[in-house]
Amino acid sequence: MNTKYLRYKLFNTPLSEYYARVKTGYKHYIQNYPTTILLQTVTACNLPCTHCFINNFGKEIVDGKKNIMVMKDFNMLLGKIEKAVKHAEYMNFSSFEALLNKHLFEMMEAVLAINPKMKFPFLSNAMLLTPENIAKLKKMPITEINISLDGLRKETVEAFKTGVDHSKILEAFRNLEKEGMIDKVAVTFVAHKQNIGELPDYVDFVHSLNIKRIYVNNLMSFTGLHKGRYLYSPTGNAYAENIFKEAVQRIRKNGMEIWLPGMIPEVTGCTQPEVLFINYNGDVAPCDYLAVSTPFEYFGDVQISKPVIYGNVYKDDVLAIYRSKRADEFRKMHRANSLPPECSHCIDGYGLMCSKRRLFK
């Protein structure tokens, strides 16, 4: 286990949550049950953003297929993973836009019938967060609604995310406020050279919306199309770090919290392999990237990683797959700050994206 990261997590865990965290840790690390399940009921998106790897499906990612799962297939998959569902605490229905699936809320109900204590983190670009969908979300055990907002200005946001409507995002925030759900909302800011200067004022703007949590990611480069736009470098980025410092000052003034990535690559390992990831076809992989042949661009060098498939739940027991030697070794490498060859060009293993960000509050 990464002792530095473990100490960090312990010191940043509220006392009121220690017992629950210890219980979860015992079940996960000792009994080897997945705490979180990510079932890709949607491998598609309503936005054709050029920085998202799903828009390389069928092109550079030749084996990537866009799919929206029908209820019949979901029920079949759910039956195959019931053992894991009974012990898990969190379930996510897509790493893309889950609201594209018209059966989403029916699927949530089916999961709760197996595990009434299950909680649902939720990701969205907000384009489908209509008042009707917000009202349905309110009835579910949603722990967090994480909405993409990659800038302060309308021009910045719409230039980065292809097809997004800045006004619709703001409308979604207003509707979430009306429904009394704004306390569950967090925003994700993908930082790059064209938007980083807006971050301090962005903090104040988000605060004005009564949103208390901000996640910042670096821009991930896949095919090299966005080479030169990302902020991290082998020697760091003093300009970006100074902007981070100003943003943190405003965070503390406003009583908020912000999670910041590094700017200098450091092998930290990735937390995604801890999740039980299941693709729409039943394949179990370390993450959505390694479920297909994803290219990763790392300082000018592009590596196409072959899929890492531990097994398929239609053929083998789901917990046996999760506890298999290959899956266990993959997780242990990341826990020990060592990257498998397939992860050597992915910035998430270097503390530059989602995994092991720094918390400031």
Side-chain angles (χ1 to χ4, degrees), residues 5-24:
Y5 179 63
L6 182 59
R7 287 197 302 271
Y8 174 82
K9 292 291 284 184
L10 287 173
F11 283 119
N12 284 282
T13 298
L15 286 172
S16 60
E17 297 179 16
Y18 259 90
Y19 175 74
R21 294 286 182 92
V22 169
K23 185 178 178 181
T24 295

Side-chain angles (χ1 to χ4, degrees), residues 59 70 90 101 103 126 138 148 156 162-163 167 179 213 269 274 301 312 327 338:
K59 303 171 188 175
V70 299
Y90 304 95
N101 197 312
H103 301 294
K138 188 176 181 179
S148 301
T156 305
T162 309
S167 63
E179 287 288 349
R213 184 177 299 112
E274 304 292 343
D301 185 33
N312 187 288
S338 179

Side-chain angles (χ1 to χ4, degrees), residues 145-164:
I145 302 173
N146 191 326
I147 296 177
S148 301
L149 181 63
D150 304 304
L152 175 64
R153 299 166 59 245
K154 172 182 173 70
E155 295 80 4
T156 305
V157 172
E158 295 184 356
F160 182 60
K161 265 197 166 63
T162 309
V164 77

Side-chain angles (χ1 to χ4, degrees), residues 203 247-258 360:
V203 170
V248 169
Q249 289 176 354
R250 300 199 193 189
I251 284 287
R252 289 172 173 161
K253 178 182 177 182
N254 295 334
M256 302 166 69
E257 66 180 48
I258 191 168
F360 297 91

Side-chain angles (χ1 to χ4, degrees), residues 34 36-39 81 84 272-278 284-285 318 322:
T36 301
I37 298 171
L38 199 169
L39 178 56
I81 66 172
Q272 290 195 60
E274 304 292 343
V275 174
L276 172 59
F277 173 90
I278 305 165
V284 179
V318 62
Y322 186 79

Side-chain angles (χ1 to χ4, degrees), residues 168-211:
K168 279 191 176 182
I169 299 176
L170 301 187
E171 182 182 359
F173 289 140
R174 289 193 293 270
N175 289 329
L176 286 161
E177 177 88 69
K178 288 178 185 177
E179 287 288 349
M181 296 188 73
I182 202 69
D183 61 316
K184 295 183 182 295
V185 176
V187 291
T188 292
F189 179 100
V190 176
H192 52 82
K193 289 181 178 178
Q194 284 71 43
N195 71 353
I196 187 63
E198 297 182 9
L199 185 59
D201 288 339
Y202 176 96
V203 170
D204 290 335
F205 174 68
V206 169
H207 179 252
S208 74
L209 298 171
N210 294 319
I211 297 168

Side-chain angles (χ1 to χ4, degrees), residues 119-160:
K119 297 179 283 290
F120 304 132
F122 187 77
L123 306 170
S124 181
N125 56 43
M127 295 301 97
L128 300 177
L129 273 175
T130 61
E132 294 76 16
N133 281 331
I134 291 172
K136 290 177 182 178
L137 285 171
K138 188 176 181 179
K139 297 176 182 178
M140 296 296 169
I142 305 294
T143 53
E144 182 177 85
I145 302 173
N146 191 326
I147 296 177
S148 301
L149 181 63
D150 304 304
L152 175 64
R153 299 166 59 245
K154 172 182 173 70
E155 295 80 4
T156 305
V157 172
E158 295 184 356
F160 182 60

Side-chain angles (χ1 to χ4, degrees), residues 41-60:
T41 63
V42 172
T43 50
C45 191
N46 52 331
L47 300 179
C49 306
T50 60
H51 65 279
C52 182
F53 86 118
I54 197 172
N55 288 307
N56 298 118
F57 278 19
K59 303 171 188 175
E60 289 87 354

